[in-house]
Amino acid sequence: METRPDDVSDVTEVRGDAVAEAAVVPAPAVPAERYAPRPPTSLSPSRAGDFMQCPLLYRFRVIDRLPERPSEAATRGTLVHAVLERLFDAPAAERTAPRATALVPGQWERLRESRPEVGELFADDPDGERLATWLGEAERLVERWFTLEDPTRLEPAERELFVETELASGLRLRGIIDRVDVAPTGEVRIVDYKTGKAPRPQYSEGALFQMKFYALVVWRLKKVVPRRLQLVYLGSGDVLTYDPVPADLERVERKLHALWDAIRSATETGDWRPRPTKLCGWCDHQAHCPEFGGTPPPYPLPLGVPASEVAEQGRMSADQGARVAAEVPSEAP
């Protein structure tokens, strides 16, 4: 999730490739109005992933809006994304590895200015040794990118592109795409950078779920199926590609409708059940989770959403909805 909201109303986004590295730390004090409870109004790849992983996690993030303190791994991902985005501001011939790594300190300062809370990550590092190591790790990830792609031969049509569409059913989908390349022939490639390692082959479908989500949005918006989906794993130096077809995206659309039905049903009933997995060890909300002896906050929304606002056909309870995740394998750290 790198900390970068792909649902612009979600201020505590944590990208999935950082989950395995993220440390569980106490949440910082945050003004309550910043996290005012609200019912879900749209679906992003990260929020869909949250619900498939654990309906209660979805509730904590979307409805309760419990604060989450940024981790070193997530923040490093945000930094690397910013560097790779800014590099394309330079002329093609000047997009070199030394220029890219030279951007790291400046982008770190920009990140600290825009999100002061990330500076707390190194509050116990008065000599700056841990920060220097952390920045060096970010530089190595940036350098590795040059072994996977040649930016001197790329002219992205879009970078950090916010996309949003409303399906015929009324479901709104939104997200932020790292990079969109458009060939002279009009073919579209969607590219996403991951600072973690590539999944094992049996888990590649789960890794591609986010990309198929984006492809569906682009298809519905532009009436063009992207020619290629490309995941660039900087942690391991791998590139995962997939060429979607309309049938793939139609399956994703059906899956998202099923998830949304389950989310709306849980919103109506207040039935948000935990789904224990190995990922629970990295969750910030153990103090509120029944699986760890905690108690969720009082449910902040009125129960009993009008029936006209809830899909009646194929409606699922929250724990049934979580089992939709079986269609998209997820790899435990």
Side-chain angles (χ1 to χ4, degrees):
M1 124 157 197
E2 295 92 311
T3 307
R4 184 202 60 178
D6 64 6
D7 178 338
V8 292
S9 63
D10 291 336
V11 297
T12 57
E13 177 77 13
V14 179
R15 296 170 63 98
D17 59 6
V19 169
E21 300 178 68
V24 177
V25 292
V30 179
E33 61 271 15
R34 185 177 175 186
Y35 296 98
R38 57 87 193 267
T41 59
S42 63
L43 199 58
S44 69
S46 294
R47 298 292 75 87
D50 287 345
F51 189 82
M52 290 189 294
Q53 177 184 326
C54 174
L56 187 58
L57 174 63
Y58 178 99
R59 177 198 149 169
F60 288 157
R61 285 181 168 168
V62 174
I63 295 178
D64 297 295
R65 301 186 70 74
L66 298 181
E68 295 179 355
R69 192 171 185 174
S71 70
E72 290 186 20
T75 306
R76 182 172 54 240
T78 301
L79 175 60
V80 170
H81 273 74
V83 169
L84 298 185
E85 179 190 4
R86 299 300 177 192
L87 181 64
F88 284 103
D89 291 340
E94 298 177 22
R95 298 172 193 159
T96 63
R99 183 185 182 98
T101 56
L103 291 173
V104 170
Q107 290 303 312
W108 167 237
E109 290 305 314
R110 286 170 60 94
L111 182 58
R112 290 182 60 189
E113 291 174 4
S114 62
R115 297 182 56 230
E117 65 271 21
V118 302
E120 298 176 10
L121 291 170
F122 302 101
D124 60 348
D125 182 36
D127 296 329
E129 294 182 5
R130 191 159 57 85
L131 174 59
T133 298
W134 182 84
L135 290 171
E137 292 168 349
E139 291 176 356
R140 285 190 289 276
L141 290 171
V142 170
E143 289 174 338
R144 183 169 289 154
W145 177 60
F146 286 83
T147 69
L148 305 174
E149 294 190 290
D150 182 358
T152 65
R153 302 182 64 180
L154 296 172
E155 290 298 339
E158 301 286 353
R159 290 171 277 159
E160 299 293 309
L161 175 66
F162 174 74
V163 292
E164 182 177 32
T165 192
E166 185 171 309
L167 303 180
S169 65
L171 171 58
R172 282 196 300 135
L173 306 178
R174 54 171 48 182
I176 294 179
I177 301 174
D178 287 347
R179 198 179 85 216
V180 178
D181 300 332
V182 180
T185 57
E187 294 178 320
V188 175
R189 176 172 63 183
I190 296 176
V191 181
D192 194 76
Y193 308 121
K194 299 294 186 185
T195 53
K197 297 180 180 180
R200 294 193 293 270
Q202 62 266 38
Y203 298 107
S204 61
E205 183 64 25
L208 284 168
F209 173 74
Q210 173 189 5
M211 302 301 284
K212 291 181 180 180
F213 184 110
Y214 292 146
L216 172 62
V217 174
V218 170
W219 183 34
R220 293 309 187 202
L221 276 175
K222 305 295 186 181
K223 312 303 180 186
V224 174
V225 175
R227 174 67 178 83
R228 173 152 294 181
L229 310 178
Q230 182 166 302
L231 284 162
V232 181
Y233 286 94
L234 304 177
S236 57
D238 296 300
V239 177
L240 176 62
T241 62
Y242 184 81
D243 297 340
V245 296
D248 291 334
L249 305 187
E250 288 168 351
R251 283 192 291 270
V252 172
E253 189 169 32
R254 290 193 296 270
K255 179 183 181 66
L256 292 176
H257 278 124
L259 282 172
W260 191 242
D261 286 349
I263 289 168
R264 297 185 75 174
S265 178
T267 302
E268 177 188 15
T269 62
D271 180 15
W272 302 92
R273 302 184 188 181
R275 182 173 181 259
T277 68
K278 292 181 179 180
L279 295 176
C280 291
W282 285 271
C283 182
D284 283 346
H285 307 300
Q286 293 179 8
H288 297 288
C289 180
E291 293 295 321
F292 291 86
T295 302
Y299 193 55
L301 298 178
L303 300 179
V305 176
S308 61
E309 297 183 17
V310 181
E312 294 295 337
Q313 298 297 323
R315 196 167 71 178
M316 299 179 292
S317 66
D319 57 329
Q320 289 172 318
R323 287 200 290 272
V324 177
E327 301 174 19
V328 179
S330 59
E331 185 171 21

